[in-house]
Amino acid sequence: QQQVKQSPQSLIVQKGGISIINCAYENTAFDYFPWYQQFPGKGPALLIAIRPDVSEKKEGRFTISFNKSAKQFSLHIMDSQPGDSATYFCAANYGQNFVFGPGTRLSVLP
Amino acid sequence: DSGVTQTPKHLITATGQRVTLRCSPRSGDLSVYWYQQSLDQGLQFLIQYYNGEERAKGNILERFSAQQFPDLHSELNLSSLELGDSALYFCASSVAQGGSPLHFGNGTRLTVT
């Protein structure tokens, strides 16, 4: 119940394309869902986050879609750029419990 | 810059030794989390402190221990080191115990030889 599943494990997208990463959770107690971006040798950095009272949140080229009934959420990266090549982690939180997905390695080809 | 400082950045030591990793959280953040990330792996939660008190424990080995001091900095102690302990160790801080984002430092890369 504490798991967050994330897919795909790796993703290759052409420059200008749309990157989509999906996550699913079981525990309905989760009430905060952040996404993190990690470059090699660096710590994960908060990208965007959503709470379950909204179905979508957009910040620039990054959009989170949230489906509370399906217990799923996804990250869409529009107009993907080579600089977006990184590992992306979804996470789910309630209280002090943060549960991270296993990560998706995104490669954007020039 | 997340505002979370971890030292040292790199650490190379031998099996059987003991090391201490240090973390200074963002100003105002009371909660500190420790994570282990092995090569190309995900983030494994180790332990969490809030305002000096241990609040949650994850997959932390008995050879590992941590504490958060009155000035809110935290230390992770790793003893009787084994080759398999080689990893990136991240500290993250948060203003509260939930509902607010974790801010990660850039980690300490530990190599056990």
Side-chain angles (χ1 to χ4, degrees), chain B residues 45-102:
Chain B
F45 170 62
L46 295 177
I47 198 164
Q48 181 240 343
Y49 284 83
Y50 180 79
N51 203 19
E53 292 186 9
E54 180 187 307
R55 289 299 177 94
K57 244 179 180 179
N59 298 321
I60 187 166
L61 300 171
E62 285 191 12
R63 300 183 285 107
F64 296 1
S65 65
Q67 54 184 325
Q68 186 179 29
F69 294 87
D71 67 352
L72 300 178
H73 91 272
S74 179
E75 293 181 355
L76 179 66
N77 301 296
L78 315 177
S79 61
S80 302
L81 286 168
E82 302 175 359
L83 295 178
D85 297 328
S86 296
L88 264 170
Y89 290 85
F90 288 107
C91 164
S93 73
S94 178
V95 66
Q97 285 207 93
S100 56
L102 297 182

Side-chain angles (χ1 to χ4, degrees), chain B residues 14-64:
Chain B
T15 54
Q17 295 298 305
R18 172 189 169 97
V19 297
T20 298
L21 313 184
R22 183 186 168 101
C23 169
S24 294
R26 286 192 329 158
S27 177
D29 284 359
L30 299 177
S31 192
V32 169
Y33 293 72
W34 285 98
Y35 288 86
Q36 180 192 56
Q37 186 177 44
S38 301
L39 188 63
D40 290 336
Q41 296 296 309
L43 295 159
Q44 299 300 316
F45 170 62
L46 295 177
I47 198 164
Q48 181 240 343
Y49 284 83
Y50 180 79
N51 203 19
E53 292 186 9
E54 180 187 307
R55 289 299 177 94
K57 244 179 180 179
N59 298 321
I60 187 166
L61 300 171
E62 285 191 12
R63 300 183 285 107
F64 296 1

Side-chain angles (χ1 to χ4, degrees), chain A residues 32 36 38 41-44 46 51 89 93 95-96 98 100 102 105, chain B residues 33 35 37 40 43 48 55 90 97-102 104-106:
Chain A
Y32 178 67
Y36 287 84
Q38 185 181 27
K42 298 292 187 182
L46 178 68
R51 299 185 194 277
F89 294 96
N93 161 250
Q96 74 268 25
F98 274 87
F100 284 84
R105 179 172 287 184
Chain B
Y33 293 72
Y35 288 86
Q37 186 177 44
D40 290 336
L43 295 159
Q48 181 240 343
R55 289 299 177 94
F90 288 107
Q97 285 207 93
S100 56
L102 297 182
F104 284 82
N106 280 327

Side-chain angles (χ1 to χ4, degrees), chain A residues 4-52:
Chain A
V4 173
K5 297 179 181 178
Q6 183 173 346
S7 63
Q9 188 175 8
S10 62
L11 182 60
I12 300 175
V13 174
Q14 293 286 339
K15 178 183 175 181
I18 302 173
S19 304
I20 302 174
I21 304 171
N22 300 299
C23 286
Y25 63 97
E26 287 296 324
N27 191 342
T28 55
F30 289 130
D31 58 8
Y32 178 67
F33 301 88
W35 283 87
Y36 287 84
Q37 179 189 55
Q38 185 181 27
F39 293 106
K42 298 292 187 182
L46 178 68
L47 195 59
I48 187 172
I50 198 168
R51 299 185 194 277

